[in-house]
Amino acid sequence: AAFAKATARKRTRKLPQFVASRRGKRADADARRALVEAREHIAADRYAEALKTVDAVKPTADRITSIRLAGVRGDSLAKLWRHKEAIPVLADAAQRAHDIGWMARHVTLLNLMGRAQRRLFDRNAIDTLTRALKVAESCDDAVRVAETLASLGTVHRAFDDLPKALDFHRRALEAAEATGSLRVVAAVLLEHGLTEADCGNGKRGMELLERAVAIYEKLDNKYGLAGSLVNLANACSEAGDAGRALECRARALRLSEETGDRDGRAAAHMGLGNSYSRLGDRARAMTHYEQARLLFEEVGDRYDMALALLSLGRLEASGGEHASALSHGNEALRIVEGTGARDIEAEALAVL
């Protein structure tokens, strides 16, 4: 009897620990399932759904999963043009990754944070990405070195520092080629080509972008191929080759429709609107801009939605439809209010 009582007391003492342990394991498993679901939403351009999934997760003791969830949350916020909210989330996740020695994830999160800062025209983006580059170099992580150099080039291009942008992109391409990864090389070529074109090296820019197209064709990567065709079309348009630009954008649209890539479809429609606008086909241009606007609204991309509205407004203003132009200009201003998108605000005011 004494033995039975003592055993019962031990079991009673252990029960709360056992229950807590079971609950903790269940919370960890739920968090991992939510992470998989959120990533599937992001792959399908459903950023609002990804954010909702992550926000519904209960705290987990699994630090790796917790950091990954924070990264998904920050990335989703940025894609929804909520960069002011995304930056502290990504900064916290990057610090937690650093604290446990997960340096690869630390660099990736700093890259996401730097891009979010760039979208707000925050020059701290340069410091953030410079930190990421130092860590990647110290870890001999060649892929992330190449990716971070490319990000630094894109940030300097956004701030109109084209000589530095070109230097970073040339270094990024050299680093990417040293990795032997065609995927990394193609991603760097997309940005490097645009920078060369912006620097007045149109021919060189088109060569780089054509090389990216060829790599994505070789890899049978329709997502990357569509994006590279959009960039190539932009370079062709700047070089005055309107026919080839139209051809590239039409092909990009077909590829995006095949893959179900709403972001890609929206970008292709936007480009086709630009092509038809330059060719003087106002009706087709308006149709494509409206399609782009609807798709950008679906994926929650407020910045590009505002750009589509302004493109509609400019065409309407040129055609004497001033009431519609005013409506679209005001709507664009309302959409980007508080986002820090000063370039959109300036364009909207010009349309108004």
Side-chain angles (χ1 to χ4, degrees), residues 1 3 10-11 15 34 58 62 144 170 179 185 187 220-221 254 296 326 341:
F3 176 76
K10 285 182 180 179
R11 284 176 179 167
L15 184 59
K58 292 179 181 178
D62 183 341
R144 284 178 175 80
R170 286 174 175 170
T179 68
V185 171
D220 195 25
N221 183 333
R254 289 194 299 273
F296 285 133
L326 281 169

Side-chain angles (χ1 to χ4, degrees), residues 107 132-133 135-138 140-151 171-172 175-176:
V107 173
L133 179 61
V135 174
E137 288 175 334
S138 69
D140 289 327
D141 190 333
V143 169
R144 284 178 175 80
V145 166
E147 291 173 344
T148 308
L149 284 167
S151 293
R171 287 169 59 192

Side-chain angles (χ1 to χ4, degrees), residues 23-39:
R23 285 176 179 168
K25 288 178 180 177
R26 191 180 301 121
D28 292 347
D30 289 344
R32 287 190 283 272
R33 279 194 293 270
L35 179 62
V36 171
E37 183 182 340
R39 285 174 167 170

Side-chain angles (χ1 to χ4, degrees), residues 66-338:
S66 177
I67 291 167
R68 282 180 168 148
L69 284 168
V72 169
R73 185 170 192 273
D75 192 24
S76 298
L77 285 167
K79 290 286 183 6
L80 293 168
W81 209 258
R82 293 165 61 181
H83 295 102
K84 288 181 180 179
E85 296 171 69
I87 289 167
V89 171
L90 293 167
D92 175 67
Q95 184 59 53
R96 285 192 284 139
H98 180 275
D99 291 344
I100 65 171
W102 193 8
M103 305 315 288
R105 178 61 56 172
H106 177 65
V107 173
T108 298
L109 290 164
L110 286 177
N111 265 284
L112 289 172
M113 181 178 160
R115 290 171 200 161
Q117 290 169 321
R118 172 178 68 85
R119 287 291 198 173
L120 292 176
F121 298 94
D122 182 351
R123 296 192 75 87
N124 286 321
I126 295 172
D127 294 333
T128 300
L129 292 170
T130 301
R131 279 166 49 208
L133 179 61
K134 287 179 180 177
V135 174
E137 288 175 334
S138 69
C139 298
D140 289 327
D141 190 333
V143 169
R144 284 178 175 80
V145 166
E147 291 173 344
T148 308
L149 284 167
S151 293
L152 276 163
T154 303
V155 165
H156 282 289
R157 188 178 69 215
F159 293 133
D160 293 323
D161 191 344
L162 292 178
K164 279 189 178 179
L166 195 56
D167 178 59
F168 275 115
H169 278 141
R170 286 174 175 170
R171 287 169 59 192
L173 183 57
E174 184 179 340
E177 288 173 335
T179 68
S181 168
L182 288 177
R183 178 190 63 80
V184 177
V185 171
V188 171
L189 286 168
L190 288 181
E191 294 299 325
H192 188 182
L194 289 179
T195 300
E196 290 280 5
D198 284 351
C199 289
N201 308 325
K203 185 178 178 182
R204 173 62 175 159
M206 288 175 70
E207 286 173 358
L208 294 171
L209 292 166
E210 285 167 346
R211 188 177 160 200
V213 167
I215 289 173
Y216 282 123
E217 285 177 330
K218 182 177 180 179
L219 295 174
D220 195 25
N221 183 333
K222 291 183 179 180
Y223 288 93
L225 180 56
S228 60
L229 284 166
V230 167
N231 281 13
L232 178 57
N234 292 339
C236 290
S237 184
E238 287 298 317
D241 192 345
R244 191 173 181 204
L246 182 61
E247 180 186 326
C248 288
R249 286 162 176 162
R251 187 182 173 199
L253 179 59
R254 289 194 299 273
L255 286 166
S256 298
E257 287 173 340
E258 285 177 23
T259 59
D261 179 7
R262 289 186 294 176
D263 272 338
R265 283 168 57 203
H269 275 298
M270 192 72 182
L272 284 165
N274 292 337
S275 281
Y276 285 118
S277 179
R278 286 200 172 197
L279 293 169
D281 193 335
R282 186 170 173 278
R284 283 191 179 181
M286 294 278 285
T287 298
H288 284 292
Y289 284 143
E290 180 59 21
Q291 285 295 314
R293 183 193 70 79
L294 291 171
L295 286 164
F296 285 133
E297 185 175 15
E298 280 182 28
V299 300
D301 187 339
R302 290 192 283 169
Y303 181 89
D304 286 313
M305 181 183 170
L307 275 181
L309 285 165
L310 291 176
S311 297
L312 286 165
R314 279 193 292 269
L315 275 181
E316 288 162 343
S318 66
E321 299 173 36
H322 301 302
S324 295
L326 281 169
S327 175
H328 283 133
N330 279 315
E331 190 178 352
L333 272 178
R334 180 186 59 77
I335 288 169
V336 298
E337 185 178 1

